[in-house]
Amino acid sequence: MTNPDKTVREKLNELFELVDEKADATARLQIQKAFNMAQKSYGNQTMADGSPMILHHLDVAVIAMKEVNLGPTSAVCALLHSFDTDQPDVRQEIMENFGENVLEIIDGFKKISALQTERVSFQSEAFRNMFLSLVNDIRVILIRMAHRLHDVRAPEGLTKKQKTKFFNEIKYIYIPIAHRLGLYQIKSEMENDLMRFEHPDIFRAITDKIQATKSKREVYIKDFIAPVEKELIAAGFDFEIKWRTKSVASIWAKMKRQNVEFEQIYDIFAVRIIINSKSPQREKEDCWMVYSIVTNIYPPNPKRLRDWISTPKASGYESLHTTVMGPNKKWVEVQIRTVRMDEIAEKGQAAHWAYKGLMKSKDVDDWLLQVRDVLEHPEAIGAEYAYRTQKSNEYVFIFTPKGDLKRLPAGATVLDFAYDIHTNIGSQCSGARVNNKLVPIRYVLKNGDKVEILTTKNQKPKPDWIGFVKTQKARNHIKRQLKEEKYKEAEVGKELLLRKFKNWKLKSPEDLVNILVKHFKMDSAVDLYYLLATDKIDLALVKTVLTDYLKQQEEPVETEGGTEEPQPEKTIPKKEEDETDVLYIGDHVKNINYRFAKCCNPIPGDNVFGFVTTLGGISIHRRNCPNAKRLAERYPYRIIDVKWTGSEEKPFYRVNLKISGKDELGIVESITKTITNDLRVNMRSIHFNTKGRKFEGRVSLMIRNHDHLDQLIHKLKMVKGVERIDRTK
C-alpha cells in the first residue's frame, strides 16, 4: 500500500527540482512557505479517491510548471487555489506572504471555477472569449487548464456528472486555447482523454492498431525520407524534415469525416519539408521545385494536391500539400512550405486553429502569441507583463439562470439584458437578481454576472429608459412601445375632444384641432390628443382657447369704408343646458356609439355613467357596478355623465337576480307565481338549490326599466321565506 506521506514528499521534491531549474533560491523559499500554509489549511482532508488534498494541489503545481511551462508564482497559486479569499484574515495572510499578484490570480481562479459551464457546447466561442476577458491574468486560465488535466488523468474518482462537466470544458474551452498557445502535447493528451471518455471502444481499437505498426512505421519513415533528403541536398536546398504520427483523436476525426476504415486513411503519419529560401521572391519557385523532386521519386495522387501557395486561404495560410505513393504502395501526406510560411501557419493569424474558426479576435490572437513566446522562453525580460490579459472594453458576457451565455456591449444594464431575452420581458422588467442580489433596472452588468430578470404586469416602458440603455435593440423596442402607447392614449383623447366639440355644438373639428395644435406649439394632432388623454392639457383650457379665438373672429374689423362685421364660421351656443357635459341615451337616440357593460347589465332608469373605451365608443355602467370605483380612480378623465331619455316602444332588457332565504314548503311555486301572474314578467330561466334549511335561486327575467324592476323586487321580498335579493351579471 502506498504511503501518502512519502508520495507527498516525492511530489514536493519534484516541484523543488522544477523550481531550481527555472528560478533562484528565493522562489524555492516561496514554494516551501506556500506548501506549509496549504498543508496547515487542508490538514487531513482527502479527495474523492481518498488521496490527500495537498497531493492534488502539488500535482496541479507540477503540471503548471513542467507541462504548461509556467513559473514559480503559478506553482504558489496552484498550491493555494482552494483557499477561501472571501475571508479577510485569509486575504491578509496571502497578501503579506506573497503579494497582490498571487491574491489576484487566486481570486480569478475562484471566479472562473464558479461559472456555469454545463451548456458550454452551445456557445463555445463565446465561452472562450468570456474566459479570456473575465480575468486579469492568463495564468488563471492556464492553472485551471492544469487542474482539469489533472482531473481527467484519474477519472475513476469522478462522478458521471463531474466527468461530463469536466470533459465539456476540455472539449470546448481548453483544447482550442492549448492549441493556440502551442501546448500541443497537452492538447493531444486532452483530445485522447476526451475520446477515451466519449468513445472508449473505438479509442482502444485504434490505439491497438497504431501500436501494432509502430516499429514498422518508424523504419518505413526512414526509408521514405532517405531518397528525398539525398535529392534535396544534391539540389542545394537548406531544409528540415519533420514527421509525426497523428493522434488517435485526429485519426478518428478523419475516419468520420471521410467515412472510411482505419486501413483506408492515407495519412496516419505526415511528413513536413521546411525550406529556408534565400529570398522571398524564390519561395514559390523553391516549393514547386521540392514538389517536383518528391513526385519524381514517389508518384502523387492528383486528387490530393492542395495548392495554397498560388492561392493562399482567406486567412493567409500558405502551404503545398500532396499525397504520394511511398514504398510498398502506402500513401504518405507531404507538406511543403518555407520557414516564413511555417512560422505564419504555426504562430500567425492564419494558424491551423484560426482558419477552422476556433477564435476570431485579432487582439486575443496577438496577445496569445505573446503568452506563447513567454511559455517557450520564460527567462525573457517582460514575461510577467505578457501574462496580463489584453481585455476588450467592447463586451461583457452574462449568464441566464439556465446557464446560457449572452454577449452585450460594455456598460449594458439589466434592462438591456431583459430586452435581449424578449421584448415582452424587457417592457415588463422591474429589476433583477444579479448573483442572487436584488438590483434595479439601471444596474450596469459585469463580466460573468448571473442575471434573473424580475417582471411586473403593470410595468410599462417609460421615456427615461431610453437615456440609460446601451443596446440599439433595447432602444428601438422602447421607442416603438412608447409610440404604440402614445397612439393608444391618443385615440382616447381624440374621442374625448370630438365628443366635447359635439356637446359644444362646434363644427369643422379638423379646423379646430389645427388651431389648437398651432396654439400649443405641437408637431401633430396626435400630440394634442395624447396630452388631453393623460390630463396634461385641461379641457377647460381648450374651451377657453377656442372661445377666445371665436370671439376674435366676431369682433368688427376697421376698414377704409367703415365698420364691417365678418360672419364667423363657428359659434359657441349660448344655451345654459349646453354648458353641462351630459350624454343622453335611450331607444330613440341614434348615431351615438355606446353599449351596455356586461359586468353590471344596466337597464333604463338605473343610475349610470359612461366610460370612454380605448377601442372607441362609450360603455354604460351602473353607478354601483363592481368596476365603478376602479374606473373612476384610474381614469377620471374618461368618465362622463349619462341620462336616460324616454322610449315609446318600451323594449325589454335582461336582468339576473339571485334570491336566497329559508327553504319553506312551496317557496319556488310562490316565487314563480309572483313573477309570472302578479307582474306578468317573462322568465327566461330559473334554477334553485337547497342546502340544509336554506335555498338559493337564480332567475333570468326580461324587464322594461328600473321602476319595473324595483316593483318586482318589492313583491318578491313579501314572499314568505325570501330573505335577500341581489342583482347579478
Side-chain angles (χ1 to χ4, degrees):
M1 185 174 178
T2 305
N3 185 335
D5 292 336
K6 182 181 178 182
T7 306
V8 169
R9 283 196 303 272
E10 290 174 350
K11 187 61 69 173
L12 179 59
N13 288 334
E14 183 182 358
L15 182 59
F16 280 144
E17 289 174 5
L18 291 168
V19 173
D20 291 342
E21 290 175 8
K22 295 187 177 186
D24 55 21
T26 304
R28 185 184 177 99
L29 290 175
Q30 289 289 87
I31 294 291
Q32 183 67 62
K33 189 185 297 184
F35 173 78
N36 293 340
M37 282 180 60
Q39 194 171 42
K40 180 181 178 181
S41 176
Y42 307 143
N44 296 323
Q45 296 180 56
T46 59
M47 303 299 292
D49 60 359
S51 62
M53 181 177 280
I54 186 64
L55 183 60
H56 158 78
H57 290 72
L58 281 167
D59 279 335
V60 175
V62 168
I63 293 171
M65 288 197 71
K66 185 177 182 179
E67 300 180 53
V68 185
N69 208 17
L70 292 171
T73 299
S74 299
V76 169
C77 296
L79 289 170
L80 305 178
H81 75 256
S82 293
F83 274 47
D84 184 4
T85 53
D86 287 338
Q87 301 295 326
D89 56 334
V90 174
R91 296 186 69 84
Q92 185 66 28
E93 185 178 11
I94 294 174
M95 177 72 81
E96 290 176 355
N97 285 286
F98 306 105
E100 184 178 358
N101 194 22
V102 169
L103 181 61
E104 184 181 52
I105 293 172
I106 297 172
D107 281 339
F109 187 94
K110 181 179 178 182
K111 185 186 296 183
I112 66 170
S113 299
L115 293 176
Q116 293 177 286
T117 56
E118 288 80 2
R119 297 172 67 83
V120 63
S121 59
F122 296 101
Q123 297 163 298
S124 53
E125 182 183 335
F127 264 89
R128 283 194 298 276
N129 287 332
M130 188 267 300
F131 260 57
L132 293 170
S133 65
L134 189 60
V135 297
N136 293 324
D137 196 305
I138 185 62
R139 284 172 289 188
V140 172
I141 293 170
L142 296 175
I143 296 169
R144 185 68 178 172
M145 183 189 296
H147 191 290
R148 278 289 170 263
L149 189 60
H150 171 268
D151 290 334
V152 298
R153 281 176 175 173
E156 297 78 14
L158 303 176
T159 65
K160 184 177 180 181
K161 185 177 181 181
Q162 285 176 322
K163 288 180 184 178
T164 303
K165 173 182 169 65
F166 293 171
F167 279 110
N168 262 352
E169 290 182 14
I170 283 173
K171 184 176 183 178
Y172 297 106
I173 298 175
Y174 296 115
I175 287 176
I177 292 176
H179 189 119
R180 187 63 197 96
L181 290 174
L183 301 169
Y184 299 121
Q185 188 173 349
I186 289 177
K187 170 183 175 286
S188 180
E189 182 181 345
M190 284 181 168
E191 286 177 334
N192 283 344
D193 288 337
L194 177 65
M195 185 181 172
R196 188 184 291 112
F197 169 70
E198 293 183 334
H199 308 285
D201 295 337
I202 299 173
F203 181 87
R204 189 162 45 250
I206 295 175
T207 301
D208 292 343
K209 290 179 181 180
I210 292 174
Q211 193 63 32
T213 60
K214 180 179 179 182
S215 57
K216 291 181 180 179
R217 187 166 55 255
E218 290 175 351
V219 172
Y220 184 87
I221 286 294
K222 289 180 181 178
D223 292 342
F224 179 90
I225 291 176
V228 175
E229 284 182 328
K230 182 179 178 181
E231 292 298 323
L232 290 176
I233 292 171
F237 281 105
D238 179 10
F239 66 93
E240 180 184 7
I241 297 180
K242 300 178 181 179
W243 73 276
R244 62 181 176 86
T245 302
K246 293 191 174 181
S247 68
V248 176
S250 178
I251 293 171
W252 168 234
K254 185 154 288 192
M255 288 169 62
K256 288 191 295 181
R257 189 165 58 250
Q258 297 179 1
N259 194 25
V260 295
E261 297 299 322
F262 176 85
E263 291 73 17
Q264 296 173 280
I265 296 294
Y266 290 150
D267 48 357
I268 297 299
F269 52 84
V271 174
R272 181 177 300 169
I273 303 173
I274 303 169
I275 314 158
N276 188 8
S277 292
K278 295 179 180 179
S279 68
Q281 291 76 19
R282 289 184 54 85
E283 286 188 337
K284 292 182 182 180
E285 181 182 349
D286 286 347
C287 287
W288 282 110
M289 286 180 66
V290 171
Y291 172 82
S292 178
I293 290 172
V294 173
T295 54
N296 282 339
I297 300 171
Y298 302 114
N301 182 345
K303 295 181 180 179
R304 299 286 296 170
L305 176 63
R306 300 290 182 267
D307 178 12
W308 289 309
I309 292 179
S310 301
T311 308
K313 288 196 171 189
S315 60
Y317 178 84
E318 295 175 87
S319 189
L320 193 58
H321 293 195
T322 185
T323 302
V324 298
M325 181 71 76
N328 302 324
K329 296 185 178 180
K330 290 185 178 180
W331 293 106
V332 179
E333 180 186 305
V334 179
Q335 300 173 0
I336 304 167
R337 61 179 66 155
T338 64
V339 173
R340 180 191 65 81
M341 295 174 186
D342 189 60
E343 184 75 11
I344 292 175
E346 287 298 306
K347 293 186 177 181
Q349 294 179 39
H352 188 68
W353 67 273
Y355 65 69
K356 289 202 173 182
L358 295 178
M359 301 179 94
K360 304 286 174 117
S361 167
K362 181 178 183 299
D363 292 338
V364 170
D365 177 43
D366 292 341
W367 166 65
L368 286 177
L369 282 177
Q370 277 187 319
V371 175
R372 177 175 177 168
D373 289 338
V374 172
L375 293 175
E376 293 174 352
H377 308 287
E379 72 285 352
I381 297 175
E384 192 74 18
Y385 170 77
Y387 284 124
R388 307 300 295 180
T389 60
Q390 306 302 304
K391 283 192 173 184
S392 169
N393 295 322
E394 296 182 14
Y395 300 104
V396 291
F397 297 91
I398 309 299
F399 285 99
T400 68
K402 291 184 178 180
D404 290 323
L405 197 62
K406 299 285 185 179
R407 189 182 78 165
L408 296 172
T413 64
V414 163
L415 195 58
D416 287 297
F417 182 77
Y419 272 106
D420 191 74
I421 295 173
H422 196 278
T423 305
N424 291 340
I425 293 177
S427 62
Q428 296 181 350
C429 177
S430 58
R433 284 191 183 91
V434 176
N435 305 325
N436 296 319
K437 293 182 180 179
L438 290 175
V439 298
I441 60 176
R442 294 172 177 262
Y443 178 84
V444 177
L445 299 171
K446 301 178 183 64
N447 244 338
D449 279 345
K450 178 183 175 183
V451 181
E452 178 187 357
I453 297 297
L454 305 176
T455 58
T456 304
K457 288 185 177 180
N458 294 332
Q459 180 73 291
K460 290 182 180 180
K462 298 176 178 59
D464 66 308
W465 286 12
I466 298 174
F468 63 82
V469 291
K470 190 75 174 178
T471 61
Q472 193 61 43
K473 179 179 180 180
R475 194 174 291 109
N476 290 342
H477 281 307
I478 293 168
K479 286 180 179 179
R480 187 173 71 245
Q481 289 170 319
L482 288 172
K483 195 172 184 179
E484 290 174 356
E485 188 67 24
K486 182 176 181 178
Y487 275 108
K488 188 184 293 185
E489 290 287 352
E491 284 299 315
V492 176
K494 181 179 181 180
E495 180 78 21
L496 191 64
L497 184 61
L498 294 181
R499 183 168 49 79
K500 285 293 184 182
F501 285 171
K502 186 178 290 186
N503 289 337
W504 294 337
K505 299 294 189 290
L506 296 178
K507 298 179 181 180
S508 302
E510 291 184 5
D511 294 336
L512 295 178
V513 168
N514 290 334
I515 292 167
L516 292 171
V517 168
K518 185 176 180 180
H519 174 82
F520 290 111
K521 299 179 180 179
M522 296 178 182
D523 294 330
S524 66
V526 173
D527 296 328
L528 174 68
Y529 299 145
Y530 174 75
L531 293 176
L532 285 169
T534 54
D535 285 337
K536 298 295 193 319
I537 295 180
D538 192 88
L539 283 168
L541 177 60
V542 171
K543 187 172 184 180
T544 300
V545 170
L546 292 177
T547 302
D548 291 344
Y549 172 79
L550 294 174
K551 281 183 178 179
Q552 290 176 9
Q553 298 299 310
E554 292 175 353
E555 289 177 358
V557 178
E558 294 291 333
T559 64
E560 294 181 1
T563 301
E564 179 177 278
E565 293 186 7
Q567 294 297 319
E569 294 181 5
K570 318 164 191 61
T571 59
I572 297 179
K574 298 180 180 179
K575 294 182 180 180
E576 293 182 1
E577 58 269 23
D578 291 331
E579 297 294 321
T580 304
D581 182 18
V582 177
L583 174 67
Y584 289 89
I585 61 172
D587 193 52
H588 70 285
V589 177
K590 308 296 182 185
N591 300 324
I592 296 181
N593 183 15
Y594 72 92
R595 62 180 179 81
F596 296 115
K598 293 182 179 180
C599 54
C600 55
N601 292 322
I603 61 175
D606 281 341
N607 189 7
V608 294
F609 68 94
F611 179 76
V612 180
T613 67
T614 58
L615 299 177
I618 299 170
S619 179
I620 308 299
H621 295 257
R622 288 160 43 202
R623 291 281 180 185
N624 60 352
C625 172
N627 294 320
K629 183 178 180 181
R630 179 179 62 85
L631 295 175
E633 288 176 352
R634 295 185 62 182
Y635 309 102
Y637 54 90
R638 289 158 66 177
I639 303 296
I640 59 175
D641 290 328
V642 173
K643 288 186 179 181
W644 298 97
T645 61
S647 175
E648 297 178 358
E649 296 179 2
K650 305 287 186 184
F652 287 83
Y653 302 87
R654 180 188 288 269
V655 173
N656 298 317
L657 298 180
K658 183 174 76 171
I659 307 172
S660 57
K662 294 179 181 179
D663 188 12
E664 299 285 345
L665 183 65
I667 185 71
V668 176
E669 182 181 357
S670 299
I671 290 173
T672 54
K673 183 178 179 181
T674 300
I675 294 172
T676 57
N677 293 349
D678 292 0
L679 293 174
R680 306 285 183 182
V681 174
N682 182 20
M683 281 193 302
R684 285 295 181 89
S685 65
I686 184 169
H687 180 76
F688 279 76
N689 284 324
T690 59
K691 187 175 182 181
R693 297 183 59 83
K694 295 289 184 179
F695 80 94
E696 182 177 289
R698 295 183 180 273
V699 186
S700 181
L701 311 166
M702 300 304 295
I703 300 295
R704 283 193 298 273
N705 52 42
H706 187 77
D707 291 336
H708 190 196
L709 178 62
D710 280 349
Q711 185 180 1
L712 173 63
I713 292 174
H714 177 73
K715 285 278 190 180
L716 288 174
K717 284 184 176 180
M718 296 177 65
V719 174
K720 185 178 180 182
V722 174
E723 295 177 344
R724 184 182 178 91
I725 301 175
D726 295 307
R727 189 169 165 186
T728 64
K729 291 184 182 180

